[in-house]
C-alpha cells in the first residue's frame, strides 16, 4: 500500500465519520426539539386554562357591578316616579282650589259690576242736581257760570299766593336759622384763626434823596438822564418842589420797583448818565426777576404747598407787585389759602387741595402778556397748562361764577375770596362805581308799585324801602322784601350781602288850634 492509498482511505473514513456524526446530531436535535415542543404545548395549555378562568372571574365581576348599577337606577327611577305622583296629586288639589277661587272671583265681579252700575246711575243723578243748582245760583246771583268761575279762581289764586308767600317766608326763615348757624360758626372761626395785616397799595412810590442837588443830576443835561430812565423802566418820574423826594408813578408795581432800585443804585454810585442807566436797569431787572422767583418759592414753603410748577411759582412771586382794589395780591392770596385750609378741615375735605386752589385763584391777574380774558378763566387755563388737578382748575375758574362749580372746593375758594376782600379797610373802592351801585340799589326798589322812597345805607349793605300804607298791606310788605332781595341777588354785583327792609306805617296827624 502506498501513501496515497492511505491518505485516500483516511479521507474517506473521515468523511464517513463526519456524515455519521452529522446524522446522529440531527437525530438528537430532532428528538430534543420534539420534547421542547411538547413541553411548550403543555405550558400553553396551562396558561390558556388560567386566562380562561381569569376571564370568567372578570366577566362575573363586571356582570355583578352592572346588575348593581341597574338596581340602583331602578330605585332612583322608582323614587322619581313616587315624587312625580305626589306633585301631580298636589297640583290637582291646587287646581281644584284655583277653580273654586275663580268661581268666587266671578261672583264678586258680577257684584262689582252691579254696584258700578248703581254708582253710575247715582253720578248721573248728582250731575243733574249739580247743573240744576248751578242754574238756580246763576239766576239768584245774576252772574253767568263762566263769570262766577273766573271770580272764584281769582279769589283762590290771591289766597293761594298770600298763603304761599307766608309759607315761603317761614321756610326761608327756618332755613336761615338752621343753615346759617353752622355756616356762621365756620366762617367766624376761620376769620378768627387768620390774622393778616391790611395795607392799601398805591400807584406811586416816593424815592427819598439826601439833598435837592441830586435832583439836578438825576434830570441831567437838558433832561437826558430822566428821559433815559423813563424809557428804560416805563415809569413816569416826577421831579417837583417836594423837598428831598422824587415821585415814581406807574400802575405796574414791578416797573416801579425796578425804577426805585435802579435809582437807589445810581444815586449811591454817583455815576448817572444814559449808558450807565441802561446797564443798571438791566441788572436790576435780572435781580428783581430772581427775587420774584425766590418770593414764590418761599411763599409755597411757608404754606406747605409742594410740587408747584416753576412757572406758577414765578407767577405767585409776581403777585407781590400786583394790587387789586388797593389790596396787595400776594397778601390776599396767602390769606385766602389759609382761610380755605381752615374751612376745608372743618368740612372734612382735602386741606392741601383747598390751600393750593386758594393760593392760585388769582394767578390770572399777573401774566406778563395779559390777554383779553377774564382773570378767572385765564388762571384756570394757566393751571391746566402747568399740570394742576381738575379740582384746583375748576376752583380757579369758578370763583367769580364764569364756569359751573363741579366740586366742594370751588365754593370754599369763592367764599374765602369774598371774606378776604370784604374786610374793613382791605380794599379801596372807586367813588364812581360806589355811587353807581348805590343808585342802582335805590332804583331797583323804586320800580315796584306802592314804593314811595328807598334809601341805601351802611355803604350799600342795607336797603330801606318806604311803602304807602294804603296800597301795601303787611303781607304784601313781606312779599316785596323777598322779591326785591331776589332781584338784587340776580341782577347786581356787590360785596357781602344786602339787607332789604320794607317799612310800612300809618300816621294820623291833626292840629289843635
Amino acid at each position: 500500500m502506498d501513501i496515497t492509498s492511505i491518505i485516500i482511505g483516511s479521507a474517506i473514513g473521515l468523511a464517513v465519520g463526519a456524515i455519521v456524526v452529522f446524522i446522529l446530531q440531527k437525530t438528537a436535535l430532532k428528538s430534543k426539539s420534539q420534547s421542547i415542543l411538547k413541553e411548550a404545548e403543555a405550558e400553553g395549555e396551562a396558561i390558556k386554562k388560567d386566562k380562561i378562568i381569569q376571564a370568567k372571574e372578570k366577566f362575573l365581576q363586571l356582570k355583578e357591578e352592572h346588575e348593581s348599577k341597574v338596581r340602583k337606577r331602578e330605585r332612583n327611577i322608582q323614587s322619581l316616579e313616587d315624587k312625580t305622583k305626589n306633585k301631580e296629586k298636589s297640583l290637582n288639589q291646587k287646581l281644584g282650589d284655583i277653580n273654586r277661587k275663580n268661581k268666587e272671583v266671578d261672583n264678586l265681579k258680577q257684584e262689582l259690576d252691579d254696584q258700578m252700575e248703581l254708582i253710575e246711575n247715582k253720578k248721573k243723578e248728582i250731575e243733574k242736581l249739580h247743573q240744576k243748582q248751578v242754574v238756580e245760583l246763576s239766576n239768584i246771583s245774576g252772574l253767568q257760570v263762566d263769570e262766577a268761575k273766573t271770580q272764584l279762581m281769582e279769589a283762590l289764586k290771591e289766597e293761594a299766593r298770600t298763603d304761599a308767600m307766608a309759607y315761603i317766608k317761614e321756610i326761608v326763615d327756618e332755613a336761615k336759622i338752621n343753615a346759617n348757624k353752622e355756616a356762621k360758626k365756620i366762617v367766624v372761626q376761620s376769620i378768627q384763626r387768620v390774622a393778616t395785616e391790611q395795607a392799601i397799595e398805591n400807584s406811586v412810590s416816593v424815592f427819598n434823596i439826601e439833598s435837592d442837588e441830586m435832583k439836578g443830576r438825576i434830570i441831567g443835561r437838558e433832561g437826558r438822564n430822566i428821559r433815559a430812565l423813563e424809557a428804560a423802566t416805563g415809569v413816569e418820574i416826577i421831579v417837583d418842589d417836594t423837598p428831598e423826594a422824587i415821585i415814581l408813578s406807574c400802575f405796574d408795581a414791578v416797573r416801579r420797583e425796578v425804577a426805585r432800585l435802579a435809582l437807589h443804585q445810581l444815586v449811591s454810585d454817583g455815576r448817572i448818565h444814559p449808558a450807565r442807566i441802561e446797564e443798571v436797569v438791566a441788572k436790576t431787572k435780572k435781580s428783581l426777576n430772581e427775587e420774584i422767583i425766590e418770593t414764590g418759592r418761599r411763599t409755597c414753603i411757608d404754606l406747605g404747598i409742594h410740587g408747584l410748577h416753576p412757572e406758577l411759582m414765578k407767577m405767585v412771586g409776581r403777585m407781590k407787585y400786583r394790587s387789586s382794589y388797593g389790596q396787595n395780591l400776594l397778601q390776599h392770596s396767602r390769606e385766602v389759602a389759609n382761610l380755605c385750609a381752615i374751612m376745608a378741615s372743618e368740612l372734612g375735605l382735602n386741606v392741601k387741595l383747598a390751600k393750593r386752589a386758594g393760593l392760585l385763584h388769582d394767578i390770572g391777574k399777573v401774566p406778563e402778556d395779559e390777554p383779553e380774558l377774564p382773570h378767572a378763566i385765564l388762571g384756570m387755563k394757566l393751571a391746566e397748562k402747568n399740570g394742576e388737578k381738575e379740582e384746583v382748575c375748576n376752583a380757579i375758574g369758578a370763583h367769580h361764577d364764569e364756569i359751573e362749580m363741579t366740586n366742594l372746593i370751588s365754593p370754599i375758594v369763592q367764599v374765602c375770596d369774598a371774606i378776604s376782600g370784604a374786610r374793613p379797610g382791605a380794599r379801596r373802592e372807586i367813588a364812581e362805581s360806589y355811587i353807581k351801585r348805590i343808585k342802582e340799589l335805590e332804583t331797583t326798589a323804586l320800580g315796584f308799585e306802592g314804593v314811595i322812597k328807598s334809601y341805601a345805607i351802611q355803604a350799600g349793605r342795607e336797603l330801606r324801602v318806604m311803602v304807602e300804607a294804603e296800597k301795601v298791606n303787611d303781607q304784601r310788605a313781606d312779599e316785596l322784601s323777598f322779591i326785591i332781595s331776589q332781584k338784587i341777588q340776580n341782577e347786581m354785583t356787590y360785596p357781602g350781602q344786602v339787607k332789604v327792609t320794607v317799612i310800612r306805617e300809618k300816621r294820623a296827624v291833626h292840629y289843635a288850634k
Side-chain angles (χ1 to χ4, degrees):
M1 247 180 187
D2 56 4
I3 190 161
T4 304
S5 300
I6 293 170
I7 291 169
I8 293 170
S10 299
I12 292 169
L14 287 170
V16 172
I19 292 169
V20 171
V21 171
F22 174 73
I23 292 169
L24 290 173
Q25 286 180 348
K26 186 175 181 182
T27 305
L29 286 171
K30 186 176 181 181
S31 62
K32 187 175 181 180
S33 63
Q34 288 177 355
S35 64
I36 290 172
L37 184 60
K38 289 179 181 179
E39 289 177 1
E41 289 176 354
E43 187 176 353
E45 287 293 331
I47 291 172
K48 182 179 179 182
K49 289 179 180 179
D50 289 340
K51 292 295 181 181
I52 290 171
I53 292 169
Q54 289 179 2
K56 287 181 179 179
E57 290 177 353
K58 185 68 175 177
F59 174 74
L60 292 173
Q61 183 181 354
L62 292 173
K63 183 180 179 183
E64 185 179 353
E65 290 178 357
H66 177 69
E67 290 176 351
S68 174
K69 289 181 179 178
V70 170
R71 288 193 297 270
K72 186 176 180 181
R73 188 175 297 171
E74 288 176 351
R75 287 196 298 272
N76 291 335
I77 291 170
Q78 185 64 37
S79 175
L80 290 173
E81 287 179 353
D82 295 339
K83 290 181 179 178
T84 304
K85 289 180 180 179
N86 293 331
K87 287 184 178 179
E88 186 177 357
K89 185 178 179 181
S90 176
L91 287 172
N92 289 331
Q93 291 177 355
K94 290 181 178 178
L95 185 60
D97 294 339
I98 290 171
N99 290 331
R100 287 194 299 272
K101 288 182 178 179
N102 284 336
K103 291 179 180 179
E104 294 177 359
V105 169
D106 291 337
N107 295 331
L108 290 173
K109 185 178 179 182
Q110 185 62 37
E111 292 178 2
L112 285 173
D113 291 339
D114 296 339
Q115 291 180 1
M116 289 297 295
E117 186 176 357
L118 291 174
I119 290 171
E120 288 295 329
N121 294 332
K122 292 290 185 183
K123 284 175 67 176
K124 291 179 180 178
E125 293 178 3
I126 291 171
E127 185 67 25
K128 290 179 182 179
L129 291 173
H130 176 68
Q131 291 178 357
K132 185 177 179 181
Q133 289 178 352
V134 168
V135 172
E136 291 178 356
L137 288 172
S138 177
N139 293 330
I140 293 170
S141 62
L143 296 174
Q144 296 296 325
V145 177
D146 293 338
E147 294 177 355
K149 284 183 179 180
T150 303
Q151 291 185 6
L152 180 61
M153 287 175 64
E154 289 295 330
L156 290 174
K157 281 170 63 178
E158 187 64 29
E159 184 179 356
R161 186 182 294 110
T162 303
D163 293 342
M165 288 305 304
Y167 185 61
I168 289 172
K169 186 176 182 300
E170 291 178 3
I171 292 175
V172 170
D173 292 341
E174 185 178 357
K176 286 180 179 179
I177 291 172
N178 295 330
N180 288 346
K181 185 176 180 182
E182 286 299 320
K184 287 179 180 179
K185 179 181 177 183
I186 293 174
V187 171
V188 170
Q189 286 180 352
S190 302
I191 294 173
Q192 288 176 342
R193 289 166 63 182
V194 175
T196 307
E197 296 180 358
Q198 301 294 346
I200 299 297
E201 295 284 337
N202 297 312
S203 60
V204 297
S205 298
V206 178
F207 179 74
N208 295 315
I209 55 178
E210 295 179 356
S211 63
D212 289 341
E213 295 178 0
M214 186 59 67
K215 291 183 179 180
R217 296 184 60 187
I218 292 172
I219 294 172
R221 183 180 299 175
E222 299 178 355
R224 63 178 185 174
N225 289 345
I226 195 170
R227 284 198 301 272
L229 192 57
E230 288 180 342
T233 59
V235 176
E236 183 182 358
I237 301 174
I238 302 172
V239 181
D240 54 13
D241 296 336
T242 306
E244 299 180 355
I246 294 175
I247 297 174
L248 309 177
S249 176
C250 182
F251 287 105
D252 190 337
V254 177
R255 293 181 184 176
R256 279 207 321 273
E257 185 66 11
V258 169
R260 189 185 68 80
L261 294 175
L263 264 177
H264 178 74
Q265 188 171 349
L266 288 168
V267 170
S268 300
D269 186 39
R271 294 178 295 165
I272 305 176
H273 53 82
R276 176 65 177 166
I277 288 171
E278 291 180 1
E279 179 185 352
V280 170
V281 169
K283 289 182 180 179
T284 304
K285 286 181 178 179
K286 184 177 179 181
S287 63
L288 186 61
N289 191 46
E290 294 174 355
E291 182 182 347
I292 286 172
I293 295 172
E294 178 62 23
T295 300
R297 190 180 68 85
R298 177 57 55 188
T299 300
C300 293
I301 292 173
D302 292 343
L303 294 175
I305 295 174
H306 305 288
L308 198 66
H309 193 277
E311 189 65 27
L312 293 179
M313 198 177 295
K314 182 179 179 181
M315 290 183 182
V316 171
R318 283 180 64 85
M319 289 182 183
K320 180 180 178 181
Y321 302 100
R322 176 72 160 80
S323 62
S324 177
Y325 295 98
Q327 185 181 23
N328 183 269
L329 194 59
L330 179 60
Q331 186 175 342
H332 164 67
S333 297
R334 289 174 64 109
E335 182 178 3
V336 171
N338 289 324
L339 286 167
C340 287
I342 294 170
M343 282 197 179
S345 64
E346 291 290 336
L347 297 172
L349 301 175
N350 191 322
V351 175
K352 292 184 178 180
L353 277 183
K355 186 182 289 187
R356 200 180 189 97
L359 177 65
L360 300 176
H361 78 283
D362 270 345
I363 58 169
K365 292 182 177 180
V366 294
E368 296 179 359
D369 50 353
E370 297 185 0
E372 295 181 357
L373 278 176
H375 76 274
I377 302 298
L378 179 58
M380 180 184 70
K381 291 183 179 297
L382 290 172
E384 290 176 349
K385 179 181 177 181
N386 293 285
E388 287 299 316
K389 292 187 177 180
E390 183 180 353
E391 294 89 341
V392 176
C393 296
N394 181 258
I396 295 171
H399 79 277
H400 284 311
D401 294 322
E402 264 87 3
I403 62 172
E404 184 180 356
M405 297 181 182
T406 59
N407 60 83
L408 291 176
I409 293 177
S410 299
I412 290 178
V413 172
Q414 187 181 53
V415 169
C416 295
D417 180 38
I419 291 173
S420 176
R423 286 179 181 273
R427 293 188 173 184
R428 179 179 61 241
E429 192 171 12
I430 300 173
E432 291 180 1
S433 61
Y434 168 76
I435 295 171
K436 182 180 178 181
R437 180 163 59 84
I438 296 297
K439 287 183 177 179
E440 286 181 357
L441 274 175
E442 295 176 348
T443 306
T444 300
L446 288 172
F448 290 91
E449 184 180 359
V451 176
I452 306 172
K453 296 178 182 178
S454 63
Y455 302 98
I457 61 176
Q458 293 187 4
R461 285 178 168 81
E462 183 177 353
L463 182 65
R464 297 278 178 89
V465 181
M466 311 293 292
V467 297
E468 297 183 48
E470 293 80 6
K471 294 183 179 180
V472 179
N473 56 21
D474 290 340
Q475 291 178 344
R476 177 60 180 167
D478 289 337
E479 185 179 346
L480 266 179
S481 176
F482 176 76
I483 294 173
I484 293 172
S485 65
Q486 291 300 306
K487 186 172 182 180
I488 293 172
Q489 181 176 326
N490 295 330
E491 297 180 2
M492 294 187 63
T493 302
Y494 51 89
Q497 63 181 13
V498 178
K499 178 183 178 182
V500 179
T501 305
V502 176
I503 300 173
R504 174 182 178 271
E505 63 176 355
K506 176 68 175 178
R507 293 188 182 184
V509 180
H510 293 277
Y511 296 95
K513 296 180 181 179

